[in-house]
Amino acid sequence: MKRKAIWLLAYGMLVVVLPAHSHGDSLGSYEIEVDDLADWGQTYGHSDTLALRAVAGGAQDATRVAPSGAAGEELVYKTKGNLRSFTVQAYGGAGAASGGLQFLISADGSSYRSVTPDVHEDPGESRAVTYASRGFPLGTKYLKIAFEGKSAGAAPEIGEVVLNDAAGIEASKPSGAVLYGSMIMLSPKEEGEAVYYTTDGSDPRTSATRKLYGSPISIASETLLKTTSAKPASGPAKATDGVSTYSYTPYPLVSPPPGIDDKLDNFNLTAVRANVYTATDNPAYYGGDGRRAVRATLGAGVLLYKTEYDMTSFSVSSYYFAGLPLNKLKFYASSDDETYNEVAAEAYPAGLPVKNWQPYAYENMALPAGTRYLKIELLGKDKSWTPQVSSVAINLNTASVALTTSKTKGGMLASLAAASEGARIYYRLNEGADFLPYTAPIPLNGYYRLEAYAVKEGLQPSPIRSYTINASDEVKLDRFGQMEDASFSGKVTSESQLAADAKADAAYYASLQAPAGRDAYGGLAGSKEKYGFKATGYFSIQRLNGRPVMTTPSGNLYFSLAVNGVTLNETYSLVKGRETLYEAVPPYAGEYKPAWFGTDSFSYYAANKYRKTGVFPTEHDVYMEAIGRLAKWGFNGIGGFSPEKYGEEGLFPYTRMLPLDSMSWAKINGLSIFDIYATGAEAKLDKAFAQAVAPYKDDPMLVGYFIGNEYDYHKFYQVVPGLKASKAAIKGRLVQRLASKYGTIALFNKAWKTNFASFDSLKEAKLPVDTTAAWSDMNGLFAEYLDRFYGTVSKVFRKYDPHHLLLGDRWTVTAFRDAKLRGMIGAAEGKYADVISLNYYSYNVETDLLADLYAKAGKPIMMSEFGYGTSEQGLAQLIQNAASNQAQRGIRYRNYVEGVASLPYVVGANVFNYVDQAGLGRHWQGEWGEHYNSGLVNVADRPYKDYATAAKATNDDIYRIMLGQRPKYFYEFNKK
């Protein structure tokens, strides 16, 4: 590795490289000194028998020091300041260590000690080798290079000596003696290269035993480390790439205690094995391990170890496929091979994944007294080839490092500990150049990745554990997903509190009773006969004394009290790119992986459920658990934005959404409406409905379909005239209508007060809507659009599902409160939909506006979304200042639901939603995502009991309210 720098030439001779300059640091000053050996001027001394040999032919080194072949010849340098490092360029005589050269250093020029050099071989030059070493004690000034004496042609020649400058060193420690358990880190010569290495003396460019470097290398025995690097784009290293060799001798070396160190290259150390074999494929995926224990079938695999002495501890290295759920290994201890008891093992990621294979470690440092048998079970129901066991150590493992943190003014203290008494602990921060010895708690201020390991003489070093520590002042969310600055009753402060919740939850929900007198769908039992309704087999709209009402498939009166968002989806928050906002996020590769959505977003709700129950909830689990809870709280359905497929379980009424929003071809930039004028729109709807609607046409639990959600009709007049017809068919239709109406561009220009050359020029232009005629023309387009849109959707829907209700498109409050839009949309949608759905968030029920909508539409109204929240827990409120606590949320719920239920044209009120939204926003909305206190339960799955109790009081009595059998509840808040 020839040093590349700035060369100063004088008359063809290299005099100085890099003008000498001083460096000041904690280890003293030093100067870079370079001798190209054009003469002896820069040497301190040399043997008279050494010669400067001129090299002909324009070789890299014009002159080289050539020995005579006699042993003991030497070359000596004395630095001007301190000697920190050296690199020596040599030719010929390359070997594993120094190829016929010895390197010695001294502080006084009298007492020398030998140093073991790193060896860098450059295949680009004939037998060119660079020897290097570094990290010398303060006060070192002398370097002696001694020739061991070799025959002519075999003796090395020296072409250059550089003092106090690195030679592109790739290992974190120089060759030589190192503390037992030291970690060596490798870095490529150039950014983006991969590093390969061997520890058995073989060539890392070609050896079958070479490993791809991915994590630090532990030195627990005499180690010859050979390394090379290659650009990934060009594939693995080739014979033409350079090789660097490092040799390490660990100290002190202590005899290990009795134990088992099983690398699982075979099963010679196991007493019994069952349903396991040795896998040899793809060693690069498993840290270079070419032989691992793997199950033969999906049944449990077993490895049994037996000793004639007591087992006190164990560690197991394994790998699991990160694309599948983590199935942890299980461990059982016995003293007699008859009675086995499961023993706990701490489990954690132990490195970075390769090709989706995640290294995972297990350890137990306190096996039951008298343990002589250890059984390991490999489990997993997905694939037999995951997990894989790489090694097992019994009584030979150092405990891994545990981290505890404590807050300080302006930061944190990080304390490290290992259960192995007398173990040394090492750590590094943010992938530092080397591990440092741990002596005292580490003060931190900022965001850190801390890696740590422990080692005790005679035992194996522990795996490296990785922790993230957020000691910055940017933290917004604590480790339980609660807002850091919020202080409220019931805030979780420990895992033990969550564990205790399981029993408390069971008692709370057991104390609730679902309302009596309901049919299987949540309708009013017996009302079919009493009021003369028909049992249609599906939810339907019928009449009660002239009033439109909804009925269940059994023909009983039904008021929809559904809950929106019965899902984990809104509990995920984006972590990637804003890690400093979170106190702590469990690593993706660990046991909390099921709480991750992809690798970017995390659900503290899912994590807290796991902490409470020991099981991560799936979407199905959340849905099914919610049904039981909601029924007891008096709710009778699942609303929008919940996993539709679980409605197929047939346990609870539910709604579905037509697939319009997923049709990218109908999207209009800047306007959330469906472009019904798009080419082939009806045919594409037909195909989509055949797949998404037809399969559910006979499901009695399905209430009906929403067309869409919160279309931006209030932007229609602003956005549509500015669209480009090449991008939006609706703009083309506008131009077509204008051309048909006006006939000539002149008449159009006069009416719209524009100056266009032709109707074609309107298609890509932004049209101003500034005149009475322009507004009239836009009214005409809007009316036509609404009729065509609702009419087409209704026609295709009825083709594939003649039974279920078409529930409208969940209007925004903005459209509802606009008299013009309310009238136009209501009249058009009322012709085709069975119900007008309205996402209606309001302090009070605006009965005059609702009555007007019903009059215009002629169809009953469902409040498809509403809700209230508080800021108690640091979350946003759905409506500002609506409620100051959960009791007031409950009062608001009662006012709203009883208010609309008493109206003679409202058939339901669906509250938003089941679980509070993520504290730092819903994941798909990024930094500014919704983060409302909207749920019936919070991020810790703790129910808002005051809120739920009030909601239950209304829900349980909903049919009496609806039928006017008792006055509606109302509390005056003096709000708008």
Side-chain angles (χ1 to χ4, degrees):
M1 298 196 319
K2 187 66 178 177
R3 180 177 176 272
K4 293 180 173 62
I6 301 172
W7 306 96
L8 176 62
L9 295 172
Y11 302 103
M13 297 180 63
L14 183 64
V15 178
V16 179
V17 180
L18 290 176
H21 57 283
S22 296
H23 295 258
D25 60 17
S26 61
L27 297 179
S29 64
Y30 61 91
E31 293 184 351
I32 298 175
E33 303 176 38
V34 180
D35 186 4
D36 73 341
L37 291 165
D39 54 35
W40 300 111
Q42 290 181 252
T43 61
Y44 181 73
H46 65 279
S47 298
D48 293 337
T49 53
L50 294 176
L52 290 176
R53 184 175 73 85
V55 180
Q60 180 176 343
D61 284 301
T63 54
R64 301 175 184 172
V65 173
S68 68
E73 294 177 299
E74 59 187 32
L75 186 64
V76 180
Y77 287 88
K78 179 182 180 183
T79 56
K80 297 174 183 178
N82 291 293
L83 176 65
R84 293 280 305 280
S85 65
F86 69 77
T87 62
V88 175
Q89 184 82 33
Y91 299 89
S98 55
L101 296 174
Q102 288 185 332
F103 301 90
L104 305 98
I105 58 174
S106 172
D108 57 10
S110 298
S111 300
Y112 282 86
R113 72 173 179 87
S114 176
V115 294
T116 304
D118 310 327
V119 182
H120 306 280
E121 299 175 65
D122 185 355
E125 298 181 40
S126 177
R127 306 190 71 187
V129 181
T130 298
Y131 300 103
S133 191
R134 60 200 186 284
F136 305 145
L138 183 65
T140 301
K141 292 182 176 294
Y142 295 87
L143 169 65
K144 181 187 291 185
I145 307 170
F147 292 82
E148 296 177 351
K150 288 194 174 186
S151 60
E157 296 182 341
I158 298 174
E160 179 185 84
V161 176
V162 181
L163 308 179
N164 289 329
D165 200 18
I169 301 301
E170 299 172 40
S172 58
K173 292 184 183 298
S175 298
V178 296
L179 271 173
Y180 178 83
S182 292
M183 293 287 178
I184 306 300
M185 285 165 287
L186 303 177
S187 57
K189 299 175 187 176
E190 297 181 15
E191 187 176 352
E193 290 184 327
V195 176
Y196 297 87
Y197 72 96
T198 62
T199 55
D200 59 5
S202 60
D203 190 330
R205 299 169 298 185
T206 57
S207 175
T209 62
R210 72 177 181 182
K211 300 177 181 179
L212 178 65
Y213 174 77
S215 57
I217 302 162
S218 174
I219 305 300
S221 62
E222 195 85 27
T223 301
L224 185 65
L225 178 62
K226 286 181 172 280
T227 73
T228 188
S229 59
K231 289 187 179 298
S234 62
K238 303 174 182 177
T240 55
D241 294 316
V243 174
S244 297
T245 302
Y246 307 88
S247 54
Y248 300 105
T249 301
Y251 71 91
L253 285 175
V254 177
S255 298
I260 293 175
D261 181 13
D262 190 358
K263 303 302 183 187
L264 286 168
D265 294 336
N266 50 51
F267 296 105
N268 291 344
L269 296 178
T270 56
V272 175
R273 66 181 174 96
N275 193 33
V276 291
Y277 69 97
T278 301
T280 59
D281 60 310
N282 299 314
Y285 299 174
Y286 315 101
D289 189 348
R291 302 181 70 83
R292 295 96 46 203
V294 184
R295 290 180 299 157
T297 73
L298 285 174
V302 174
L303 298 171
L304 180 66
Y305 292 89
K306 175 186 176 183
T307 59
E308 299 302 322
Y309 46 83
D310 285 355
M311 300 179 182
T312 58
S313 68
F314 69 78
S315 67
V316 174
S317 172
S318 72
Y319 292 84
Y320 78 91
F321 188 72
L324 295 170
L326 168 61
N327 290 281
K328 291 185 179 180
L329 304 178
K330 288 192 174 183
F331 304 90
Y332 302 87
S334 175
S335 61
D336 55 12
D337 198 25
E338 293 182 2
T339 302
Y340 281 86
N341 294 304
E342 185 172 0
V343 292
E346 188 168 7
Y348 50 89
L352 299 176
V354 176
K355 293 291 185 181
N356 232 5
W357 281 95
Q358 173 63 49
Y360 215 70
Y362 300 83
E363 67 179 61
N364 181 304
M365 301 304 298
L367 285 170
T371 296
R372 295 292 179 96
Y373 298 85
L374 177 67
K375 181 165 63 175
I376 304 171
E377 277 191 350
L378 290 73
L379 303 168
K381 61 183 179 180
D382 295 294
K383 298 291 182 180
S384 61
W385 38 260
T386 181
Q388 302 193 10
V389 178
S390 178
S391 65
V392 176
I394 297 174
N395 288 3
L396 298 177
N397 55 298
T398 306
S400 64
V401 176
L403 165 73
T404 57
T405 59
S406 57
K407 292 184 179 181
T408 61
K409 186 176 182 179
M412 283 187 178
L413 279 180
S415 299
L416 306 178
S420 297
E421 186 177 355
R424 290 178 277 114
I425 295 175
Y426 295 88
Y427 74 96
R428 68 171 179 163
L429 298 172
N430 293 341
E431 299 183 342
D434 203 355
F435 281 85
L436 305 174
Y438 173 77
T439 56
I442 309 160
L444 300 174
N445 188 322
Y447 186 83
Y448 297 90
R449 180 174 178 235
L450 182 147
E451 297 166 278
Y453 74 96
V455 60
K456 183 175 181 179
E457 281 72 28
L459 301 180
Q460 298 175 354
S462 76
I464 297 172
R465 295 192 69 167
S466 178
Y467 300 94
T468 57
I469 304 172
N470 192 353
S472 75
D473 57 3
E474 298 180 33
V475 176
K476 301 295 183 185
L477 215 66
D478 71 14
R479 71 182 192 274
F480 300 107
Q482 304 162 127
M483 302 307 292
E484 173 78 3
D485 294 338
S487 178
F488 55 91
S489 175
K491 188 172 186 178
V492 175
T493 58
S494 70
E495 284 76 5
S496 62
Q497 290 176 352
L498 287 172
D501 273 1
K503 184 176 181 180
D505 286 351
Y508 168 69
Y509 291 112
S511 70
L512 303 176
Q513 294 294 324
R518 303 291 170 88
D519 69 6
Y521 305 94
L524 180 61
S527 57
K528 170 183 175 292
E529 292 76 16
K530 183 173 182 179
Y531 300 111
F533 297 130
K534 294 180 181 179
T536 64
Y538 302 95
F539 286 90
S540 63
I541 300 297
Q542 300 190 50
R543 291 276 170 174
L544 174 60
N545 298 324
R547 169 184 180 172
V549 295
M550 193 181 298
T551 56
T552 69
S554 301
N556 288 312
L557 183 63
Y558 181 79
F559 189 86
S560 176
L561 293 170
V563 175
N564 286 278
V566 181
T567 174
L568 287 169
N569 195 34
E570 302 206 1
T571 70
Y572 293 96
S573 189
L574 179 66
V575 174
K576 187 176 181 180
R578 51 178 192 163
E579 289 84 356
T580 57
L581 302 181
Y582 298 83
E583 178 189 12
V585 186
Y588 171 80
E591 64 180 315
Y592 283 88
K593 181 187 170 185
W596 284 85
F597 185 85
T599 58
D600 296 346
S601 302
F602 186 76
S603 169
Y604 284 96
Y605 177 79
N608 289 334
K609 289 287 286 184
Y610 173 67
R611 291 164 177 149
K612 291 174 78 163
T613 66
V615 177
F616 284 102
T618 64
E619 282 282 19
H620 185 268
D621 295 334
V622 170
Y623 195 98
M624 293 304 161
E625 181 178 65
I627 287 175
R629 294 176 173 182
L630 297 181
K632 290 191 171 186
W633 282 325
F635 295 100
N636 60 11
I638 302 293
F641 302 107
S642 303
E644 297 170 346
K645 62 182 178 179
Y646 302 125
E648 299 165 32
E649 301 279 345
L651 299 177
F652 220 47
Y654 73 108
T655 59
R656 298 181 71 87
M657 186 79 72
L658 291 178
L660 277 66
D661 288 348
S662 64
M663 297 179 178
S664 59
W665 53 268
K667 300 291 184 183
I668 300 175
N669 290 337
L671 186 62
S672 177
I673 68 170
F674 188 91
D675 194 346
I676 195 63
Y677 297 103
T679 302
E682 183 171 342
K684 292 176 181 177
L685 287 175
D686 190 283
K687 182 178 179 180
F689 286 16
Q691 296 175 346
V693 174
Y696 309 100
K697 66 182 179 64
D698 298 322
D699 184 356
M701 276 292 176
L702 176 58
V703 176
Y705 287 82
F706 293 110
I707 297 172
N709 185 67
E710 297 187 345
Y711 290 138
D712 289 336
Y713 287 132
H714 58 288
K715 297 180 181 179
F716 188 92
Y717 292 78
Q718 173 189 354
V719 174
V720 171
L723 297 173
K724 296 180 182 296
S726 59
K727 303 292 185 182
I730 194 171
K731 176 63 178 297
R733 177 55 183 159
L734 172 60
V735 175
Q736 185 181 55
R737 284 175 56 88
L738 295 174
S740 176
K741 175 179 177 179
Y742 292 102
T744 68
I745 193 65
L747 290 175
F748 166 76
N749 283 332
K750 181 179 180 181
W752 281 59
K753 296 191 182 309
T754 55
N755 190 29
F756 288 98
S758 66
F759 284 112
D760 278 347
S761 64
L762 304 182
K763 293 180 180 179
E764 303 298 297
K766 183 176 182 179
L767 306 182
V769 183
D770 296 329
T771 67
T772 301
W775 280 100
S776 176
D777 291 338
M778 287 304 300
N779 287 340
L781 176 67
F782 190 39
E784 179 192 278
Y785 167 81
L786 292 171
D787 189 78
R788 183 166 175 174
F789 172 60
Y790 291 124
T792 303
V793 170
S794 174
K795 179 176 70 172
V796 180
F797 171 72
R798 303 297 181 193
K799 174 181 175 181
Y800 291 104
D801 189 340
H803 306 308
H804 292 107
L805 298 173
L806 196 58
L807 298 173
D809 50 3
R810 305 167 68 93
W811 292 19
T812 63
V813 174
T814 303
F816 167 68
R817 288 185 175 144
D818 185 304
K820 176 180 175 180
L821 294 178
R822 185 170 66 246
M824 293 183 71
I825 303 170
E829 190 172 16
K831 289 170 59 178
Y832 301 105
D834 298 299
V835 173
I836 305 297
S837 51
L838 174 61
N839 290 357
Y840 181 44
Y841 292 87
S842 179
Y843 292 106
N844 293 312
V845 177
E846 297 162 294
T847 55
D848 55 337
L849 303 187
L850 290 170
D852 182 61
L853 174 57
Y854 177 59
K856 297 292 195 309
K859 294 293 175 66
I861 301 169
M862 173 189 287
M863 309 307 170
S864 43
E865 263 189 43
F866 79 96
Y868 303 94
T870 79
S871 59
E872 288 176 301
Q873 299 191 6
L875 302 176
Q877 301 179 66
L878 285 161
I879 302 179
Q880 288 296 313
N881 303 316
S884 61
N885 53 48
Q886 296 302 318
Q888 287 192 0
R889 278 186 80 196
I891 293 172
R892 285 287 188 187
Y893 179 94
R894 298 199 68 183
N895 277 358
Y896 187 103
V897 175
E898 297 196 20
V900 298
S902 63
L903 298 176
Y905 42 78
V906 175
V907 295
N910 296 179
V911 71
F912 186 85
N913 61 343
Y914 177 59
V915 187
D916 279 342
Q917 293 175 322
L920 292 185
R922 302 187 294 189
H923 65 102
W924 70 88
Q925 293 177 310
E927 183 177 357
W928 306 110
E930 289 183 9
H931 52 286
Y932 291 119
N933 166 223
S934 53
L936 287 155
V937 298
N938 72 0
V939 67
D941 195 43
R942 289 182 164 178
Y944 292 115
K945 294 181 181 179
D946 289 345
Y947 173 42
T949 297
K952 180 174 171 58
T954 289
N955 295 348
D956 286 1
D957 224 16
I958 193 65
Y959 294 113
R960 293 185 65 221
I961 299 161
M962 186 180 180
L963 294 170
Q965 296 172 357
R966 77 153 171 83
K968 67 180 182 182
Y969 176 92
F970 183 73
Y971 176 87
E972 178 58 60
F973 278 95
N974 294 319
K975 295 290 183 183
K976 294 182 181 178

